[in-house]
Amino acid sequence: MSAVYINSASCISAQDTLNENLFQHLKPQNWGSIIKAIDPNYKEFIPPAMIRRMSKTVKMSSVASQHALKEAGIEKPDAIIVGTGMGCSQDSEKFLKNVIDNHEEFLTPTYFIQSTHNTVAGQIALGLQCHAYNFTYVNTSSSLEFSMLDAKLQITDGESENILVGSTDEQTERTMELYQLNNTIKKSEDLPFDFLNSKTKGVIWGEGSSFFVLGKNKTENSYAQLNDIQISNRLETDGVQGFIVDFLSKNNLTAHDIDAVILGFSGDSDSDEYYIKAMNVFPDSALLYYKHLSGEFNTASGFSIFMACHILKNQQIPEVMMINSTKKESIKNVLIYNHLLGNDHSLVLLGKV
């Protein structure tokens, strides 16, 4: 397959990622069990009358997608593809609360209409008056990877030239309560903790929205080449190294060709074993982690791809992300490995433009 280029990258997260000097403002987030995304000034991007009717995930996606399209110099993309794990959770909860409070009678349909997972992609298309291919992937932690794979296939097959691809997930009060009850989220007594050497179960939960314009042609603003993606729903810890080595071999690479590896350490003592196994494959690479900056959530990999794009473009690695002290003079290949609590494993290979 020929390379597909990432021609713009925009992210709203727990970090100030809309700032041009974002590397200088990265701060670890390990003092609370739930961390929220930093809200931009939505009034600069969305009419006030519309803001009131939008959930946070729609607002974040609207701003991030506008940023991405503007940076790429694209008015209307040939397709809009969005990945999300939880969709519009806020409106889903509001609708279900109305069902209970009103004893299933006299319900207004607004919250139900806005609660569907494809609301984000639909709202972006309405704003752009874009009638092209519009699709939403809901595949937990590999939702963005499936979206990018779809876009890559369309571009390499000649069906599209520029595609807007994004990911988004928001927090909701009731869902966070349930995650705390089933110990998905770390208990307060286990905070703070060392992400790389955690002895306790659970994660810090975050939220955010990341959007990219994938294109057929390289531009002056191109960040990276999207070389390949591989996804596996289930993996045994003993199979991780084979999973990675086979993927690299398919791309005519070895572990020594990978200059930086971004791993999704979440602080969950059980599922982080996968990343520890993966580290042993790369004795000569710069090893990085990122969920101490973004938190864990279904589409947290959007933050890692965003950071990888900036690392490749700037040829610089932020100190706050480094696991080891290895530094490369030139960063040509970056591999991102992510999963969510041991399920839905993904590998994304990016190359220098």
Side-chain angles (χ1 to χ4, degrees), residues 36-244:
K36 295 189 176 295
I38 297 173
D39 288 318
N41 185 357
Y42 291 120
K43 291 179 182 177
E44 293 180 4
F45 305 94
I46 308 168
M50 293 178 66
I51 291 174
R52 292 195 298 271
R53 297 195 297 271
M54 288 181 170
S55 65
K56 187 171 184 177
T57 196
V58 175
K59 288 188 289 187
M60 289 192 299
S61 301
S62 178
V63 173
S65 61
Q66 285 182 48
H67 264 272
L69 289 168
K70 185 179 179 181
E71 186 180 23
I74 302 292
E75 289 187 11
K76 281 188 184 180
D78 299 323
I80 297 170
I81 309 174
V82 176
T84 180
M86 298 293 290
C88 298
S89 308
Q90 288 182 6
D91 287 320
S92 297
E93 286 192 5
K94 287 175 183 176
F95 174 72
L96 291 171
K97 188 174 186 300
N98 281 349
V99 170
I100 295 166
D101 292 347
N102 295 304
H103 307 291
E104 302 181 26
E105 296 178 334
F106 314 116
L107 299 172
T108 56
T110 308
Y111 289 136
F112 176 73
I113 294 166
Q114 294 176 342
S115 71
T116 58
H117 287 71
N118 60 353
T119 297
V120 172
Q123 288 282 1
I124 293 170
L126 283 169
L128 297 172
Q129 290 297 294
C130 177
H131 304 286
Y133 178 91
N134 191 291
F135 206 85
T136 300
Y137 283 90
V138 186
N139 298 83
T140 59
S141 65
S142 52
S143 300
L144 175 59
E145 288 79 357
F146 273 106
S147 302
M148 284 194 157
L149 190 57
D150 185 351
K152 180 174 170 59
L153 289 168
Q154 288 197 45
I155 291 169
T156 53
D157 287 348
E159 293 180 19
S160 303
E161 289 194 7
N162 295 288
I163 298 179
L164 178 68
V165 180
S167 64
T168 185
D169 274 299
E170 65 186 359
Q171 295 169 355
T172 53
E173 188 177 343
R174 182 58 180 155
T175 303
M176 293 305 100
E177 288 175 1
L178 294 172
Y179 281 177
Q180 286 174 322
L181 284 171
N182 73 359
N183 296 321
T184 296
I185 292 175
K186 272 206 191 297
K187 296 176 181 178
S188 56
E189 57 264 30
D190 294 331
L191 301 172
F193 65 97
D194 181 352
F195 264 81
L196 300 176
N197 299 288
S198 175
K199 306 300 181 189
T200 56
K201 292 183 181 182
V203 302
I204 289 177
W205 202 262
E207 62 180 355
S209 181
S210 302
F211 274 79
F212 310 87
V213 171
L214 271 56
K216 176 184 177 181
N217 301 312
K218 182 171 68 172
T219 69
E220 291 181 1
N221 296 322
S222 293
Y223 283 85
Q225 291 181 16
L226 175 61
N227 290 330
D228 202 4
I229 296 170
Q230 187 149 324
I231 301 157
S232 178
N233 178 243
R234 291 279 189 274
L235 264 184
E236 297 296 328
T237 52
D238 292 339
V240 171
Q241 296 181 355
F243 176 58
I244 294 170

Side-chain angles (χ1 to χ4, degrees), residues 18 36 42 75 113 150-151 169 192 215 261 266 284 294 296 348:
L18 289 180
K36 295 189 176 295
Y42 291 120
E75 289 187 11
I113 294 166
D150 185 351
D169 274 299
V261 182
S266 65
D284 305 321
S294 67
E296 174 71 284
V348 178

Side-chain angles (χ1 to χ4, degrees), residues 247-352:
F247 174 72
L248 295 177
S249 178
K250 189 178 76 168
N251 287 279
N252 299 314
L253 297 170
T254 68
H256 300 289
D257 297 314
I258 304 300
D259 301 299
V261 182
I262 302 179
L263 301 163
F265 278 98
S266 65
D268 178 68
S269 57
D270 288 350
S271 59
D272 279 352
E273 285 292 324
Y274 287 96
Y275 299 122
I276 294 169
K277 294 271 189 184
M279 285 198 301
N280 296 327
V281 179
F282 301 98
D284 305 321
S285 306
L287 302 174
L288 316 177
Y289 70 128
Y290 67 94
K291 286 176 184 171
H292 62 309
L293 302 172
S294 67
E296 174 71 284
F297 53 101
N298 284 275
T299 50
S301 59
F303 182 85
S304 68
I305 294 173
F306 173 80
M307 294 305 297
C309 286
H310 280 273
I311 287 168
L312 283 163
K313 191 170 187 177
N314 300 331
Q315 289 293 293
Q316 179 186 354
I317 295 173
E319 294 279 345
V320 72
M321 292 180 69
M322 294 176 67
I323 297 173
N324 61 1
S325 57
T326 302
K327 291 186 178 180
K328 299 281 186 174
E329 290 183 10
S330 175
I331 305 168
K332 295 179 180 178
N333 293 304
V334 175
L335 180 70
I336 302 164
Y337 171 38
N338 184 63
H339 63 72
L340 178 64
L341 298 172
N343 297 317
D344 298 295
H345 302 256
S346 65
L347 295 171
V348 178
L349 180 63
L350 301 181
K352 182 182 176 184

Side-chain angles (χ1 to χ4, degrees), residues 19-35:
N19 193 313
E20 288 184 2
N21 301 315
L22 65 101
F23 279 14
Q24 300 171 19
H25 298 90
L26 297 173
K27 296 177 182 177
Q29 310 276 334
N30 65 344
W31 58 85
S33 55
I34 298 170
I35 53 175

